[in-house]
Amino acid sequence: MKTITIKNLEGFSGTILIPVFETYAKSLVPIEFHGVAVPSKVFYGKKDSHYVVEKYDCLHIFIGLGKAIDYKDLKTIFRRISSKQKESFGSNVALVLPEQFSAEQVEATVSGLLLGTYDLGHFKKTENHPFLNDGFKLSIISKKETDEAVLKAIKIATAQLEILNLVDLPPNVVNPKYLSNWANESGKKYGFEVETLGFEASKKAGLGAFLSVGKGSENEPQFVIMNYVPENTNAKTKHIGLVGKGITFDTGGLNIKTTGMLHMKCDMAGGAAVFGAMQLIADLKLPVKVTAIVPCAENSVDAKSFLPSDVIHSYSGTSIEIIDTDAEGRLVLADGLSYLIKNFKPEYVIDIATLTGSSVGTFGYECGALFTNNESISKKLQESGDAIGERLWQLPLWECYKSDIESDIADVKNYSGKPVAGAISAAKFLEYFTEEHKAWAHLDIAGVAFGDDEFAKSKHATAYGVHLLTKFIENLSH
Ligand code: BES
Ligand code: ZN
Ligand code: ZN
């Protein structure tokens, strides 16, 4: 989506979007803009309300924001207008930015408008959203300088749109190879290095936990390694490591899922969040070094699948007893974490994954589960999430939970076998592979990566994590 800044509406004809903060409902003074007066009995800026007036060759859409509004609600309101009013848009649309808008509010508004172009009907004949047509330019009217915030908003939403696509496309399209190709393309376009280990290279490297998960699939696993280095690095440049779960479909393996399998194309959403964050970090040219790993595999049912009770050997040399083949995410993450920490030694390590049903049971669809032994990281991650409406809440990593992963036959087992504290014991398992890293955090996003909302009839992707990871890294850099 392209934008231009215009000084006023002189000579403009088309649709005008006018955000309005709430005024006193019984105010006698009507809201007035561009010669159009709206009686306060009809519209007074109440949150989630809007009012349309056609006058002077223009369609005026007054958009209620309430008395105060947070980032996420503002973004949702503009996503709604963009997606549900698209028929009335035509090729000329102007956005009037209120003077009191902060840079973050400008960002939320513009990225909401661009996100509203997302259409889940990937396999249907649908017309382009007017914002995506060649030659379309959104006219922005603002008394303040907003170019930087507008540009940033477009970069954020562009990365999020890519990730909505990746997560919502079906698993017969998005297989591990599709993801490694996507990373290559994005790396070339935005400026980060990508190296992929296929089956043979992964075997040679000793990525035994990762490979065991993909054994039952026709689709070759891909261990994707990405590196972003900013233009000017010095001794103080921070180095962040990311790992994302890239299971392109989770049948459960031989411990086949009896419920919820339908939605398991979302099991690469953590990996997708890492891909989106890499694109966005490179696009924003953040002054940090980032190394990211997304182990991509499909957990399928086949004679070649790994078996419950198998003992496998991870990259770190740890032996793992497989109690349940459906606890596969922690296996690919274990190798991802070990490989990242051993070979790249980043200062901070964050992993993100749709890891457990237990985290959904605990938090529902409202926030991700956060695990870390580093209170400063915990605070920074939560603050970054709160600022943009991608919330996190911390759960414990106490030593008493370690017995859940103690095995009789091997160094560790991949599941406690008990239907309690599932998200915590999964996190304890991952911790085992972090070499006691002092600044590691694990984000279990099973409840927030894929869900129901007003934008479609069925569950679909949210792009949770793309902005959160980027914001956290951006905040670290200053
Ligand atoms: N991919 C699932 C977790 C999941 C659940 C993601 C709901 C998205 C929505 C994960 O691999 C899984 O199957 N976890 C099991 C682990 C159990 C067998 C130890 C779970 O949480 O039930
Ligand atoms: Zn599983
Ligand atoms: Zn899974």
Side-chain angles (χ1 to χ4, degrees):
M1 185 173 71
K2 292 203 176 61
T3 60
I4 48 164
T5 309
I6 58 173
K7 283 212 176 78
N8 52 50
L9 285 165
E10 232 169 78
F12 180 90
S13 70
T15 305
I16 309 171
L17 306 176
I18 311 145
V20 182
F21 281 104
E22 184 173 331
T23 56
Y24 181 41
K26 290 191 184 112
S27 160
L28 295 173
V29 189
I31 288 164
E32 197 172 337
F33 184 83
H34 196 220
V36 180
V38 184
S40 52
K41 267 192 192 141
V42 181
F43 175 87
Y44 59 93
K46 190 169 172 244
K47 193 161 155 198
D48 295 328
S49 69
H50 69 269
Y51 186 69
V52 185
V53 185
E54 199 179 1
K55 207 169 176 186
Y56 311 125
D57 256 356
C58 285
L59 200 66
H60 301 77
I61 308 183
F62 292 88
I63 301 159
L65 304 179
K67 291 198 174 89
I69 189 159
D70 67 23
Y71 190 97
K72 172 110 176 273
D73 286 351
L74 189 55
K75 192 164 169 178
T76 305
I77 284 176
F78 279 86
R79 181 174 178 185
R80 184 182 303 139
I81 291 288
S82 167
S83 118
K84 299 192 175 161
Q85 300 279 325
K86 60 172 180 259
E87 279 75 25
S88 59
F89 279 166
S91 50
N92 288 326
V93 180
L95 168 67
V96 182
L97 290 170
E99 223 177 321
Q100 66 263 53
F101 260 19
S102 64
E104 285 73 27
Q105 286 176 317
V106 173
E107 183 186 294
T109 303
V110 175
S111 56
L113 284 175
L114 183 48
L115 268 191
T117 63
Y118 185 62
D119 188 342
L120 205 54
H122 292 287
F123 300 90
K124 290 183 180 194
K125 286 195 199 88
T126 41
E127 261 181 44
N128 254 358
H129 189 288
F131 290 178
L132 300 179
N133 286 336
D134 280 349
F136 175 83
K137 281 198 183 105
L138 176 72
S139 303
I140 292 184
I141 303 177
S142 171
K143 291 217 170 86
K144 288 201 292 202
E145 158 64 42
T146 53
D147 288 0
E148 205 183 307
V150 168
L151 203 64
K152 189 169 177 188
I154 291 173
K155 290 178 177 179
I156 294 167
T158 302
Q160 288 175 325
L161 285 169
E162 283 290 325
I163 274 34
L164 293 177
N165 270 307
L166 282 185
V167 178
D168 283 329
L169 281 171
N172 59 339
V173 175
V174 177
N175 55 33
K177 190 79 198 161
Y178 188 99
L179 290 179
S180 60
N181 286 341
W182 184 94
N184 274 322
E185 292 303 313
S186 179
K188 267 188 236 149
K189 187 163 173 197
Y190 292 93
F192 57 91
E193 293 289 321
V194 182
E195 187 200 354
T196 301
L197 311 183
F199 178 82
E200 285 304 330
S202 299
K203 201 168 164 199
K204 217 167 146 195
L207 295 163
F210 165 62
L211 285 181
S212 63
V213 174
K215 272 172 74 184
S217 171
E218 282 283 304
N219 296 308
E220 189 192 355
Q222 304 276 298
F223 193 81
V224 182
I225 306 162
M226 293 162 281
N227 258 303
Y228 163 74
V229 182
E231 262 164 29
N232 301 310
T233 55
N234 57 45
K236 281 195 185 140
T237 305
K238 296 222 160 70
H239 184 194
I240 295 109
L242 301 174
V243 182
K245 172 176 173 182
I247 299 295
T248 56
F249 197 77
D250 182 12
T251 63
L254 290 171
N255 291 106
I256 194 162
K257 282 191 182 294
T258 49
T259 53
M261 200 201 292
L262 174 64
H263 298 131
M264 284 304 134
K265 67 175 181 183
C266 80
D267 218 16
M268 37 60 79
V274 168
F275 286 136
M278 282 308 279
Q279 168 169 322
L280 185 52
I281 289 161
D283 201 8
L284 293 171
K285 298 195 164 40
L286 295 186
V288 286
K289 262 174 79 177
V290 186
T291 306
I293 294 187
V294 182
C296 303
E298 189 186 84
N299 189 19
S300 296
V301 183
D302 187 80
K304 292 188 181 137
S305 296
F306 68 137
L307 305 172
S309 83
D310 270 354
V311 173
I312 60 166
H313 298 275
S314 78
Y315 180 76
S316 65
T318 304
S319 57
I320 306 170
E321 180 187 10
I322 303 302
I323 302 296
D324 195 311
T325 60
D326 199 9
E328 84 299 338
R330 62 199 76 182
L331 299 173
V332 305
L333 290 175
D335 275 358
L337 285 165
S338 304
Y339 194 93
L340 174 77
I341 294 167
K342 180 170 176 227
N343 296 294
F344 299 100
K345 303 179 183 59
E347 224 176 310
Y348 299 86
V349 177
I350 315 284
D351 77 72
I352 179 163
T354 48
L355 204 62
T356 66
S358 157
S359 73
V360 191
T362 307
F363 292 127
Y365 310 103
E366 301 308 327
C367 72
L370 159 68
F371 297 86
T372 180
N373 291 314
N374 182 314
E375 283 317 302
S376 151
I377 289 203
S378 168
K379 194 161 169 263
K380 288 190 173 105
L381 277 164
Q382 284 189 300
E383 277 171 4
S384 305
D386 289 345
I388 55 161
E390 294 186 13
R391 284 195 287 207
L392 288 167
W393 200 257
Q394 196 173 347
L395 291 174
L397 276 171
W398 298 322
E399 276 311 287
C400 52
Y401 289 105
K402 203 172 167 207
S403 57
D404 279 350
I405 58 160
E406 282 166 359
S407 161
D408 286 321
I409 194 168
D411 295 327
V412 281
K413 58 185 178 187
N414 78 331
Y415 173 41
S416 66
K418 292 179 283 192
V420 294
I424 302 177
S425 53
K428 280 312 269 184
F429 181 89
L430 296 181
E431 187 189 30
Y432 197 89
F433 296 87
T434 58
E435 319 274 330
E436 295 179 9
H437 196 285
K438 292 284 167 283
W440 161 69
H442 157 58
L443 314 181
D444 188 339
I445 60 161
V448 285
F450 200 74
D452 289 303
D453 64 21
E454 61 187 281
F455 298 108
K457 291 188 278 294
S458 50
K459 280 189 190 293
H460 58 103
T462 62
Y464 182 102
V466 174
H467 198 182
L468 171 66
L469 292 172
T470 308
K471 185 99 186 162
F472 167 75
I473 289 172
E474 186 182 21
N475 290 346
L476 274 185
S477 70
H478 50 241

